[in-house]
Structure formats: structure tokens, C-alpha cells
Amino acid sequence: MFGRIREAYGRLRDARRARSRPEAEGSPDGASRAAGKRTPNLFEAAAAYVSACAEDDQDRIDEAAGWVSPEALSFGVNELACRAVIALARERDESPRAVARALLGLPAG
């Protein structure tokens, strides 16, 4: 479990470094502005990031991580997790705490 956290932190750190490069070097924001496209918002980035993680698609993970700041991505992923746990809890007629613990493989408590 901690390995996945370290891996996610490393990807976020790398994305932050990539965003600190000048736009001429291929920053995702610079590329989209130059092409006249809008920049994805933090919820779009979070959805793309989480779905790419679920599919183990490193290229899409890196792409989505570069769309917004690491802090914004973290907030979006947290919001997505909360909404997913609430939706599952309603579907299963269980508490969000019980669902979250079950998803993580933790004992009921």
C-alpha cells in the first residue's frame, strides 16, 4: 500500500517539475493555449488520472498529472474518492466508513 503512495507522489513530483519548465519546452498548458484548446480542469484531470491508474496506463497517468498542479490533482482525486465511496455506500446500503474499509481490505471496525 505504501509503495503505491510513494509511486503516486513520485509521479506528482515529476509532473510538477515538468510544469515548471518554460512553455516553449512542451508544457501541457502552453501546448493547449497555442492550439486554441482549453485546459482541462482539476476534476477532468482527476478522472483521467484515476481511470488511467485503474487501467495501469503510465502514459495517460503522466499526461493527466501534467494538466494541473499536484495540489489540485490531489484535491480532485480526494473529491473523486469521497464521491465514489458515498455512491457505493448508498448502493450497498452501508456506511461510507464500512465501504472505505472494505475497499482497502481493512477489517470492519
Side-chain angles (χ1 to χ4, degrees), residues 33-55:
R33 284 190 199 120
K37 298 177 186 175
R38 68 178 186 81
T39 303
N41 68 35
L42 68 99
F43 296 114
E44 291 169 326
Y49 182 85
V50 170
S51 64
C53 286
E55 296 169 358

Side-chain angles (χ1 to χ4, degrees), residues 63-97:
E63 179 184 0
W67 290 347
V68 295
S69 72
E71 294 84 6
L73 183 61
S74 176
F75 174 80
V77 168
N78 182 59
E79 184 67 22
L80 179 59
C82 289
R83 291 180 187 194
V85 167
I86 290 169
L88 279 172
R90 287 180 181 156
E91 187 177 291
R92 296 177 180 182
D93 197 26
E94 297 178 7
S95 72
R97 179 185 170 136

Side-chain angles (χ1 to χ4, degrees), residues 11 48-49 51-63:
R11 286 192 298 266
Y49 182 85
S51 64
C53 286
E55 296 169 358
D56 201 26
D57 185 340
Q58 189 62 46
D59 292 335
R60 285 183 38 224
I61 290 170
D62 294 339
E63 179 184 0

